[in-house]
mmCIF file of all heavy atoms in Angstrom:
data_model
loop_
_atom_site.group_PDB
_atom_site.id
_atom_site.type_symbol
_atom_site.label_atom_id
_atom_site.label_comp_id
_atom_site.label_asym_id
_atom_site.label_seq_id
_atom_site.Cartn_x
_atom_site.Cartn_y
_atom_site.Cartn_z
ATOM 1 N N LYS B 1432 -77.907 43.672 49.728
ATOM 2 C CA LYS B 1432 -76.572 44.029 49.308
ATOM 3 C C LYS B 1432 -75.511 43.495 50.198
ATOM 4 O O LYS B 1432 -75.708 43.205 51.379
ATOM 5 C CB LYS B 1432 -76.492 45.578 49.325
ATOM 6 C CG LYS B 1432 -77.362 46.279 48.235
ATOM 7 C CD LYS B 1432 -77.092 45.971 46.857
ATOM 8 C CE LYS B 1432 -77.869 46.649 45.809
ATOM 9 N NZ LYS B 1432 -77.455 47.997 45.703
ATOM 10 N N SER B 1433 -74.207 43.342 49.665
ATOM 11 C CA SER B 1433 -73.128 42.714 50.371
ATOM 12 C C SER B 1433 -72.563 43.605 51.459
ATOM 13 O O SER B 1433 -73.015 44.817 51.561
ATOM 14 C CB SER B 1433 -72.087 42.240 49.378
ATOM 15 O OG SER B 1433 -71.572 43.301 48.773
ATOM 16 N N ARG B 1434 -71.585 43.113 52.168
ATOM 17 C CA ARG B 1434 -71.143 43.700 53.309
ATOM 18 C C ARG B 1434 -70.466 45.041 53.158
ATOM 19 O O ARG B 1434 -70.403 45.760 54.153
ATOM 20 C CB ARG B 1434 -70.250 42.764 54.107
ATOM 21 C CG ARG B 1434 -70.967 41.578 54.666
ATOM 22 C CD ARG B 1434 -70.204 40.553 55.475
ATOM 23 N NE ARG B 1434 -71.030 39.383 55.824
ATOM 24 C CZ ARG B 1434 -71.133 38.276 55.175
ATOM 25 N NH1 ARG B 1434 -70.451 38.144 54.024
ATOM 26 N NH2 ARG B 1434 -71.939 37.297 55.515
ATOM 27 N N ILE B 1435 -69.837 45.304 52.063
ATOM 28 C CA ILE B 1435 -69.236 46.610 51.765
ATOM 29 C C ILE B 1435 -70.196 47.733 52.022
ATOM 30 O O ILE B 1435 -69.927 48.872 52.363
ATOM 31 C CB ILE B 1435 -68.430 46.697 50.499
ATOM 32 C CG1 ILE B 1435 -67.615 48.015 50.400
ATOM 33 C CG2 ILE B 1435 -69.379 46.629 49.323
ATOM 34 C CD1 ILE B 1435 -66.670 48.085 49.193
ATOM 35 N N TYR B 1436 -71.552 47.400 51.607
ATOM 36 C CA TYR B 1436 -72.569 48.418 51.682
ATOM 37 C C TYR B 1436 -72.847 48.737 53.216
ATOM 38 O O TYR B 1436 -73.424 49.828 53.480
ATOM 39 C CB TYR B 1436 -73.750 47.955 50.974
ATOM 40 C CG TYR B 1436 -73.657 47.839 49.510
ATOM 41 C CD1 TYR B 1436 -73.222 46.648 48.929
ATOM 42 C CD2 TYR B 1436 -73.708 48.960 48.698
ATOM 43 C CE1 TYR B 1436 -73.126 46.512 47.612
ATOM 44 C CE2 TYR B 1436 -73.525 48.886 47.268
ATOM 45 C CZ TYR B 1436 -73.269 47.558 46.752
ATOM 46 O OH TYR B 1436 -73.078 47.481 45.463
ATOM 47 N N ASP B 1437 -72.393 47.869 54.089
ATOM 48 C CA ASP B 1437 -72.681 48.179 55.555
ATOM 49 C C ASP B 1437 -71.827 49.480 55.891
ATOM 50 O O ASP B 1437 -72.389 50.253 56.728
ATOM 51 C CB ASP B 1437 -72.086 47.057 56.494
ATOM 52 C CG ASP B 1437 -72.917 45.818 56.353
ATOM 53 O OD1 ASP B 1437 -74.074 45.944 55.805
ATOM 54 O OD2 ASP B 1437 -72.445 44.759 56.734
ATOM 55 N N PHE B 1438 -70.769 49.654 55.314
ATOM 56 C CA PHE B 1438 -69.872 50.814 55.678
ATOM 57 C C PHE B 1438 -70.515 52.144 54.895
ATOM 58 O O PHE B 1438 -70.358 53.242 55.267
ATOM 59 C CB PHE B 1438 -68.441 50.572 55.164
ATOM 60 C CG PHE B 1438 -67.871 49.354 55.721
ATOM 61 C CD1 PHE B 1438 -67.178 48.446 54.969
ATOM 62 C CD2 PHE B 1438 -68.079 49.048 57.091
ATOM 63 C CE1 PHE B 1438 -66.614 47.335 55.499
ATOM 64 C CE2 PHE B 1438 -67.592 47.945 57.698
ATOM 65 C CZ PHE B 1438 -66.804 47.059 56.871
ATOM 66 N N VAL B 1439 -71.151 51.840 53.730
ATOM 67 C CA VAL B 1439 -71.892 53.039 52.998
ATOM 68 C C VAL B 1439 -73.099 53.349 53.762
ATOM 69 O O VAL B 1439 -73.568 54.443 53.750
ATOM 70 C CB VAL B 1439 -72.157 52.565 51.608
ATOM 71 C CG1 VAL B 1439 -72.861 53.741 50.771
ATOM 72 C CG2 VAL B 1439 -70.875 52.029 50.888
ATOM 73 N N LYS B 1440 -73.788 52.308 54.395
ATOM 74 C CA LYS B 1440 -75.062 52.559 55.000
ATOM 75 C C LYS B 1440 -74.977 53.519 56.176
ATOM 76 O O LYS B 1440 -75.955 54.264 56.443
ATOM 77 C CB LYS B 1440 -75.474 51.201 55.623
ATOM 78 C CG LYS B 1440 -76.928 51.283 56.201
ATOM 79 C CD LYS B 1440 -77.419 49.847 56.641
ATOM 80 C CE LYS B 1440 -78.910 49.944 57.196
ATOM 81 N NZ LYS B 1440 -79.427 48.685 57.462
ATOM 82 N N ILE B 1441 -73.824 53.705 56.788
ATOM 83 C CA ILE B 1441 -73.631 54.664 57.849
ATOM 84 C C ILE B 1441 -73.925 56.075 57.265
ATOM 85 O O ILE B 1441 -74.428 56.963 57.993
ATOM 86 C CB ILE B 1441 -72.204 54.558 58.378
ATOM 87 C CG1 ILE B 1441 -71.930 53.128 58.857
ATOM 88 C CG2 ILE B 1441 -72.056 55.615 59.485
ATOM 89 C CD1 ILE B 1441 -70.463 52.927 59.309
ATOM 90 N N TRP B 1442 -73.578 56.186 55.912
ATOM 91 C CA TRP B 1442 -73.757 57.476 55.336
ATOM 92 C C TRP B 1442 -75.168 57.666 54.717
ATOM 93 O O TRP B 1442 -75.920 58.601 55.014
ATOM 94 C CB TRP B 1442 -72.746 57.679 54.230
ATOM 95 C CG TRP B 1442 -72.905 58.831 53.268
ATOM 96 C CD1 TRP B 1442 -73.651 59.933 53.463
ATOM 97 C CD2 TRP B 1442 -72.187 59.045 52.038
ATOM 98 N NE1 TRP B 1442 -73.566 60.812 52.396
ATOM 99 C CE2 TRP B 1442 -72.770 60.226 51.494
ATOM 100 C CE3 TRP B 1442 -71.347 58.208 51.275
ATOM 101 C CZ2 TRP B 1442 -72.192 60.714 50.280
ATOM 102 C CZ3 TRP B 1442 -70.936 58.789 50.119
ATOM 103 C CH2 TRP B 1442 -71.313 59.941 49.562
ATOM 104 N N LEU B 1443 -75.577 56.638 53.978
ATOM 105 C CA LEU B 1443 -76.757 56.694 53.128
ATOM 106 C C LEU B 1443 -78.014 56.086 53.859
ATOM 107 O O LEU B 1443 -79.153 56.337 53.382
ATOM 108 C CB LEU B 1443 -76.607 56.001 51.822
ATOM 109 C CG LEU B 1443 -75.477 56.452 50.986
ATOM 110 C CD1 LEU B 1443 -75.352 55.658 49.676
ATOM 111 C CD2 LEU B 1443 -75.471 57.888 50.708
ATOM 112 N N GLY B 1444 -77.838 55.433 54.992
ATOM 113 C CA GLY B 1444 -78.955 54.869 55.705
ATOM 114 C C GLY B 1444 -79.707 53.830 54.869
ATOM 115 O O GLY B 1444 -79.108 53.053 54.022
ATOM 116 N N ASP B 1445 -81.107 53.835 54.956
ATOM 117 C CA ASP B 1445 -81.837 52.752 54.200
ATOM 118 C C ASP B 1445 -82.440 53.442 52.891
ATOM 119 O O ASP B 1445 -83.637 53.270 52.693
ATOM 120 C CB ASP B 1445 -82.936 52.283 55.068
ATOM 121 C CG ASP B 1445 -82.378 51.201 55.982
ATOM 122 O OD1 ASP B 1445 -81.514 50.393 55.506
ATOM 123 O OD2 ASP B 1445 -82.812 51.059 57.217
ATOM 124 N N GLY B 1446 -81.658 54.171 52.147
ATOM 125 C CA GLY B 1446 -82.100 54.629 50.908
ATOM 126 C C GLY B 1446 -82.149 53.468 49.833
ATOM 127 O O GLY B 1446 -81.840 52.336 50.206
ATOM 128 N N LEU B 1447 -82.662 53.806 48.698
ATOM 129 C CA LEU B 1447 -82.832 52.664 47.718
ATOM 130 C C LEU B 1447 -81.604 51.821 47.378
ATOM 131 O O LEU B 1447 -81.790 50.631 47.130
ATOM 132 C CB LEU B 1447 -83.381 53.314 46.401
ATOM 133 C CG LEU B 1447 -84.827 53.601 46.140
ATOM 134 C CD1 LEU B 1447 -85.128 54.055 44.754
ATOM 135 C CD2 LEU B 1447 -85.659 52.231 46.400
ATOM 136 N N LEU B 1448 -80.469 52.469 47.532
ATOM 137 C CA LEU B 1448 -79.275 51.584 47.201
ATOM 138 C C LEU B 1448 -79.026 50.528 48.144
ATOM 139 O O LEU B 1448 -78.620 49.408 47.693
ATOM 140 C CB LEU B 1448 -78.074 52.614 47.221
ATOM 141 C CG LEU B 1448 -76.714 51.889 46.989
ATOM 142 C CD1 LEU B 1448 -76.608 51.368 45.636
ATOM 143 C CD2 LEU B 1448 -75.564 52.877 47.363
ATOM 144 N N ILE B 1449 -79.488 50.715 49.381
ATOM 145 C CA ILE B 1449 -79.154 49.716 50.377
ATOM 146 C C ILE B 1449 -80.340 48.967 51.093
ATOM 147 O O ILE B 1449 -80.163 47.795 51.446
ATOM 148 C CB ILE B 1449 -78.285 50.372 51.501
ATOM 149 C CG1 ILE B 1449 -77.046 50.898 50.897
ATOM 150 C CG2 ILE B 1449 -78.039 49.425 52.711
ATOM 151 C CD1 ILE B 1449 -76.316 51.852 51.866
ATOM 152 N N SER B 1450 -81.525 49.554 51.120
ATOM 153 C CA SER B 1450 -82.604 48.963 51.845
ATOM 154 C C SER B 1450 -83.043 47.657 51.241
ATOM 155 O O SER B 1450 -82.772 47.429 50.042
ATOM 156 C CB SER B 1450 -83.759 50.043 51.934
ATOM 157 O OG SER B 1450 -84.178 50.301 50.573
ATOM 158 N N ASN B 1451 -83.819 46.957 51.920
ATOM 159 C CA ASN B 1451 -84.292 45.617 51.503
ATOM 160 C C ASN B 1451 -85.736 45.462 51.814
ATOM 161 O O ASN B 1451 -86.419 46.291 52.516
ATOM 162 C CB ASN B 1451 -83.448 44.491 52.216
ATOM 163 C CG ASN B 1451 -82.032 44.464 51.829
ATOM 164 O OD1 ASN B 1451 -81.670 44.226 50.670
ATOM 165 N ND2 ASN B 1451 -81.211 44.736 52.786
ATOM 166 N N GLY B 1452 -86.348 44.343 51.325
ATOM 167 C CA GLY B 1452 -87.641 43.925 51.720
ATOM 168 C C GLY B 1452 -88.746 44.905 51.446
ATOM 169 O O GLY B 1452 -88.750 45.592 50.442
ATOM 170 N N GLU B 1453 -89.587 45.007 52.373
ATOM 171 C CA GLU B 1453 -90.905 45.878 52.126
ATOM 172 C C GLU B 1453 -90.515 47.348 52.058
ATOM 173 O O GLU B 1453 -91.066 48.114 51.284
ATOM 174 C CB GLU B 1453 -91.784 45.655 53.412
ATOM 175 C CG GLU B 1453 -93.131 46.419 53.274
ATOM 176 C CD GLU B 1453 -93.944 45.984 52.036
ATOM 177 O OE1 GLU B 1453 -93.870 44.791 51.616
ATOM 178 O OE2 GLU B 1453 -94.713 46.793 51.460
ATOM 179 N N LYS B 1454 -89.557 47.822 52.819
ATOM 180 C CA LYS B 1454 -89.148 49.193 52.680
ATOM 181 C C LYS B 1454 -88.576 49.578 51.274
ATOM 182 O O LYS B 1454 -88.898 50.544 50.729
ATOM 183 C CB LYS B 1454 -88.087 49.506 53.784
ATOM 184 C CG LYS B 1454 -87.626 51.065 53.783
ATOM 185 C CD LYS B 1454 -86.814 51.396 54.946
ATOM 186 C CE LYS B 1454 -86.619 52.958 54.997
ATOM 187 N NZ LYS B 1454 -85.879 53.277 56.239
ATOM 188 N N TRP B 1455 -87.670 48.711 50.845
ATOM 189 C CA TRP B 1455 -87.236 48.908 49.402
ATOM 190 C C TRP B 1455 -88.335 48.952 48.360
ATOM 191 O O TRP B 1455 -88.356 49.822 47.590
ATOM 192 C CB TRP B 1455 -86.155 47.910 49.066
ATOM 193 C CG TRP B 1455 -85.691 47.954 47.631
ATOM 194 C CD1 TRP B 1455 -84.644 48.725 47.195
ATOM 195 C CD2 TRP B 1455 -86.307 47.361 46.558
ATOM 196 N NE1 TRP B 1455 -84.559 48.699 45.845
ATOM 197 C CE2 TRP B 1455 -85.575 47.807 45.352
ATOM 198 C CE3 TRP B 1455 -87.336 46.452 46.306
ATOM 199 C CZ2 TRP B 1455 -85.856 47.348 44.068
ATOM 200 C CZ3 TRP B 1455 -87.558 45.911 44.967
ATOM 201 C CH2 TRP B 1455 -86.808 46.408 43.887
ATOM 202 N N PHE B 1456 -89.190 47.966 48.524
ATOM 203 C CA PHE B 1456 -90.351 47.789 47.503
ATOM 204 C C PHE B 1456 -91.158 49.080 47.583
ATOM 205 O O PHE B 1456 -91.599 49.681 46.573
ATOM 206 C CB PHE B 1456 -91.170 46.629 47.805
ATOM 207 C CG PHE B 1456 -92.307 46.457 46.849
ATOM 208 C CD1 PHE B 1456 -91.985 45.879 45.526
ATOM 209 C CD2 PHE B 1456 -93.622 46.735 47.104
ATOM 210 C CE1 PHE B 1456 -92.973 45.741 44.662
ATOM 211 C CE2 PHE B 1456 -94.640 46.545 46.209
ATOM 212 C CZ PHE B 1456 -94.388 45.983 45.032
ATOM 213 N N LYS B 1457 -91.495 49.565 48.850
ATOM 214 C CA LYS B 1457 -92.413 50.677 49.057
ATOM 215 C C LYS B 1457 -91.654 52.028 48.440
ATOM 216 O O LYS B 1457 -92.300 52.772 47.642
ATOM 217 C CB LYS B 1457 -92.657 50.942 50.540
ATOM 218 C CG LYS B 1457 -93.351 52.212 50.897
ATOM 219 C CD LYS B 1457 -93.390 52.332 52.446
ATOM 220 C CE LYS B 1457 -93.797 53.675 52.852
ATOM 221 N NZ LYS B 1457 -93.729 53.951 54.338
ATOM 222 N N HIS B 1458 -90.379 52.160 48.792
ATOM 223 C CA HIS B 1458 -89.679 53.374 48.213
ATOM 224 C C HIS B 1458 -89.518 53.417 46.787
ATOM 225 O O HIS B 1458 -89.650 54.419 46.162
ATOM 226 C CB HIS B 1458 -88.442 53.466 48.968
ATOM 227 C CG HIS B 1458 -88.473 54.038 50.382
ATOM 228 N ND1 HIS B 1458 -87.561 54.833 51.055
ATOM 229 C CD2 HIS B 1458 -89.476 53.825 51.358
ATOM 230 C CE1 HIS B 1458 -87.890 55.082 52.226
ATOM 231 N NE2 HIS B 1458 -89.062 54.501 52.428
ATOM 232 N N ARG B 1459 -89.221 52.255 46.212
ATOM 233 C CA ARG B 1459 -89.139 52.076 44.770
ATOM 234 C C ARG B 1459 -90.306 52.490 44.082
ATOM 235 O O ARG B 1459 -90.348 53.219 43.063
ATOM 236 C CB ARG B 1459 -88.734 50.599 44.434
ATOM 237 C CG ARG B 1459 -88.531 50.372 42.942
ATOM 238 C CD ARG B 1459 -87.078 50.489 42.459
ATOM 239 N NE ARG B 1459 -86.968 50.256 41.102
ATOM 240 C CZ ARG B 1459 -85.845 50.092 40.329
ATOM 241 N NH1 ARG B 1459 -84.760 50.016 41.067
ATOM 242 N NH2 ARG B 1459 -85.715 49.802 39.110
ATOM 243 N N LYS B 1460 -91.539 51.969 44.595
ATOM 244 C CA LYS B 1460 -92.778 52.314 43.973
ATOM 245 C C LYS B 1460 -93.060 53.801 44.137
ATOM 246 O O LYS B 1460 -93.663 54.411 43.119
ATOM 247 C CB LYS B 1460 -93.878 51.544 44.851
ATOM 248 C CG LYS B 1460 -95.217 51.608 44.081
ATOM 249 C CD LYS B 1460 -96.207 50.665 44.919
ATOM 250 C CE LYS B 1460 -97.607 50.724 44.186
ATOM 251 N NZ LYS B 1460 -98.575 49.757 44.905
ATOM 252 N N ILE B 1461 -92.701 54.476 45.219
ATOM 253 C CA ILE B 1461 -92.985 55.909 45.348
ATOM 254 C C ILE B 1461 -91.991 56.703 44.392
ATOM 255 O O ILE B 1461 -92.441 57.667 43.828
ATOM 256 C CB ILE B 1461 -92.684 56.323 46.842
ATOM 257 C CG1 ILE B 1461 -93.745 55.737 47.766
ATOM 258 C CG2 ILE B 1461 -92.697 57.847 46.961
ATOM 259 C CD1 ILE B 1461 -93.333 55.831 49.254
ATOM 260 N N ILE B 1462 -90.786 56.286 44.314
ATOM 261 C CA ILE B 1462 -89.730 57.134 43.548
ATOM 262 C C ILE B 1462 -89.867 56.905 42.051
ATOM 263 O O ILE B 1462 -89.596 57.835 41.246
ATOM 264 C CB ILE B 1462 -88.441 56.854 44.110
ATOM 265 C CG1 ILE B 1462 -88.328 57.243 45.560
ATOM 266 C CG2 ILE B 1462 -87.302 57.417 43.309
ATOM 267 C CD1 ILE B 1462 -87.053 56.848 46.308
ATOM 268 N N THR B 1463 -90.218 55.771 41.626
ATOM 269 C CA THR B 1463 -90.279 55.488 40.149
ATOM 270 C C THR B 1463 -90.933 56.519 39.327
ATOM 271 O O THR B 1463 -90.406 56.918 38.316
ATOM 272 C CB THR B 1463 -90.907 54.099 39.854
ATOM 273 O OG1 THR B 1463 -90.112 53.037 40.423
ATOM 274 C CG2 THR B 1463 -91.068 53.768 38.379
ATOM 275 N N PRO B 1464 -92.081 57.086 39.750
ATOM 276 C CA PRO B 1464 -92.789 58.087 38.894
ATOM 277 C C PRO B 1464 -92.006 59.395 38.713
ATOM 278 O O PRO B 1464 -92.249 60.237 37.776
ATOM 279 C CB PRO B 1464 -94.112 58.468 39.735
ATOM 280 C CG PRO B 1464 -94.338 57.224 40.510
ATOM 281 C CD PRO B 1464 -92.975 56.672 40.876
ATOM 282 N N THR B 1465 -90.933 59.603 39.676
ATOM 283 C CA THR B 1465 -90.165 60.859 39.530
ATOM 284 C C THR B 1465 -89.268 60.858 38.265
ATOM 285 O O THR B 1465 -88.567 61.824 37.992
ATOM 286 C CB THR B 1465 -89.335 60.991 40.835
ATOM 287 O OG1 THR B 1465 -88.324 59.982 41.010
ATOM 288 C CG2 THR B 1465 -90.106 61.148 42.106
ATOM 289 N N PHE B 1466 -89.125 59.673 37.681
ATOM 290 C CA PHE B 1466 -88.368 59.556 36.507
ATOM 291 C C PHE B 1466 -89.257 59.449 35.179
ATOM 292 O O PHE B 1466 -88.848 58.883 34.214
ATOM 293 C CB PHE B 1466 -87.349 58.505 36.585
ATOM 294 C CG PHE B 1466 -86.222 58.670 37.577
ATOM 295 C CD1 PHE B 1466 -86.378 58.209 38.801
ATOM 296 C CD2 PHE B 1466 -85.204 59.630 37.305
ATOM 297 C CE1 PHE B 1466 -85.429 58.512 39.807
ATOM 298 C CE2 PHE B 1466 -84.258 59.860 38.304
ATOM 299 C CZ PHE B 1466 -84.341 59.228 39.465
ATOM 300 N N HIS B 1467 -90.467 59.923 35.252
ATOM 301 C CA HIS B 1467 -91.398 59.979 34.240
ATOM 302 C C HIS B 1467 -90.856 60.869 33.106
ATOM 303 O O HIS B 1467 -90.064 61.804 33.379
ATOM 304 C CB HIS B 1467 -92.774 60.414 34.626
ATOM 305 C CG HIS B 1467 -93.784 60.311 33.515
ATOM 306 N ND1 HIS B 1467 -94.057 61.381 32.651
ATOM 307 C CD2 HIS B 1467 -94.628 59.291 33.303
ATOM 308 C CE1 HIS B 1467 -95.019 61.016 31.828
ATOM 309 N NE2 HIS B 1467 -95.413 59.818 32.198
ATOM 310 N N PHE B 1468 -91.234 60.619 31.873
ATOM 311 C CA PHE B 1468 -90.741 61.369 30.727
ATOM 312 C C PHE B 1468 -90.819 62.848 30.868
ATOM 313 O O PHE B 1468 -89.988 63.613 30.592
ATOM 314 C CB PHE B 1468 -91.357 60.899 29.456
ATOM 315 C CG PHE B 1468 -91.004 61.563 28.177
ATOM 316 C CD1 PHE B 1468 -89.834 61.198 27.511
ATOM 317 C CD2 PHE B 1468 -91.694 62.579 27.606
ATOM 318 C CE1 PHE B 1468 -89.378 61.835 26.382
ATOM 319 C CE2 PHE B 1468 -91.336 63.238 26.464
ATOM 320 C CZ PHE B 1468 -90.171 62.896 25.862
ATOM 321 N N SER B 1469 -92.028 63.288 31.337
ATOM 322 C CA SER B 1469 -92.295 64.723 31.500
ATOM 323 C C SER B 1469 -91.441 65.389 32.475
ATOM 324 O O SER B 1469 -90.986 66.505 32.353
ATOM 325 C CB SER B 1469 -93.716 64.927 31.843
ATOM 326 O OG SER B 1469 -94.116 64.379 33.108
ATOM 327 N N ILE B 1470 -90.987 64.663 33.556
ATOM 328 C CA ILE B 1470 -90.102 65.213 34.618
ATOM 329 C C ILE B 1470 -88.697 65.225 33.983
ATOM 330 O O ILE B 1470 -87.929 66.105 34.351
ATOM 331 C CB ILE B 1470 -90.169 64.441 35.775
ATOM 332 C CG1 ILE B 1470 -91.622 64.567 36.446
ATOM 333 C CG2 ILE B 1470 -89.157 64.794 36.879
ATOM 334 C CD1 ILE B 1470 -91.972 63.661 37.599
ATOM 335 N N LEU B 1471 -88.258 64.208 33.341
ATOM 336 C CA LEU B 1471 -86.996 64.209 32.655
ATOM 337 C C LEU B 1471 -86.836 65.429 31.698
ATOM 338 O O LEU B 1471 -85.722 65.901 31.569
ATOM 339 C CB LEU B 1471 -86.709 62.887 31.937
ATOM 340 C CG LEU B 1471 -86.567 61.650 32.738
ATOM 341 C CD1 LEU B 1471 -86.483 60.384 31.802
ATOM 342 C CD2 LEU B 1471 -85.202 61.767 33.515
ATOM 343 N N GLN B 1472 -87.869 65.778 31.198
ATOM 344 C CA GLN B 1472 -87.822 67.057 30.203
ATOM 345 C C GLN B 1472 -87.460 68.316 30.982
ATOM 346 O O GLN B 1472 -86.686 69.077 30.496
ATOM 347 C CB GLN B 1472 -89.151 67.224 29.567
ATOM 348 C CG GLN B 1472 -89.438 66.362 28.408
ATOM 349 C CD GLN B 1472 -90.736 66.668 27.620
ATOM 350 O OE1 GLN B 1472 -91.761 66.810 28.231
ATOM 351 N NE2 GLN B 1472 -90.618 66.829 26.332
ATOM 352 N N SER B 1473 -87.940 68.428 32.229
ATOM 353 C CA SER B 1473 -87.618 69.568 33.077
ATOM 354 C C SER B 1473 -86.068 69.479 33.512
ATOM 355 O O SER B 1473 -85.451 70.461 33.509
ATOM 356 C CB SER B 1473 -88.547 69.651 34.286
ATOM 357 O OG SER B 1473 -88.357 68.590 35.170
ATOM 358 N N PHE B 1474 -85.611 68.358 33.747
ATOM 359 C CA PHE B 1474 -84.265 68.083 34.108
ATOM 360 C C PHE B 1474 -83.342 68.550 32.941
ATOM 361 O O PHE B 1474 -82.174 68.933 33.177
ATOM 362 C CB PHE B 1474 -83.999 66.705 34.601
ATOM 363 C CG PHE B 1474 -84.499 66.224 35.870
ATOM 364 C CD1 PHE B 1474 -84.955 65.033 36.089
ATOM 365 C CD2 PHE B 1474 -84.629 67.240 36.908
ATOM 366 C CE1 PHE B 1474 -85.476 64.592 37.376
ATOM 367 C CE2 PHE B 1474 -85.130 66.830 38.092
ATOM 368 C CZ PHE B 1474 -85.512 65.437 38.382
#
């Protein structure tokens, strides 16, 4: 992500919005199932 996100990173850290590389890929893989159809029904 571009440099404006450096100022957001102080707040959000290395969450999905900002992280890169292996950490982003790992977290994306973990979090993706949380938006499964059955979970969206409960929301």
Side-chain angles (χ1 to χ4, degrees):
K1432 294 295 185 79
S1433 61
R1434 293 182 182 94
I1435 189 172
Y1436 295 93
D1437 291 345
F1438 307 132
V1439 182
K1440 186 174 182 177
I1441 304 169
W1442 172 18
L1443 305 182
D1445 280 323
L1447 270 184
L1448 177 66
I1449 296 169
S1450 60
N1451 295 296
E1453 185 60 32
K1454 183 169 186 178
W1455 174 84
F1456 182 80
K1457 173 188 168 185
H1458 284 211
R1459 178 92 179 196
K1460 190 174 180 181
I1461 293 168
I1462 292 169
T1463 296
T1465 64
F1466 292 98
H1467 186 270
F1468 181 79
S1469 60
I1470 295 170
L1471 288 172
Q1472 281 185 309
S1473 68
F1474 287 148

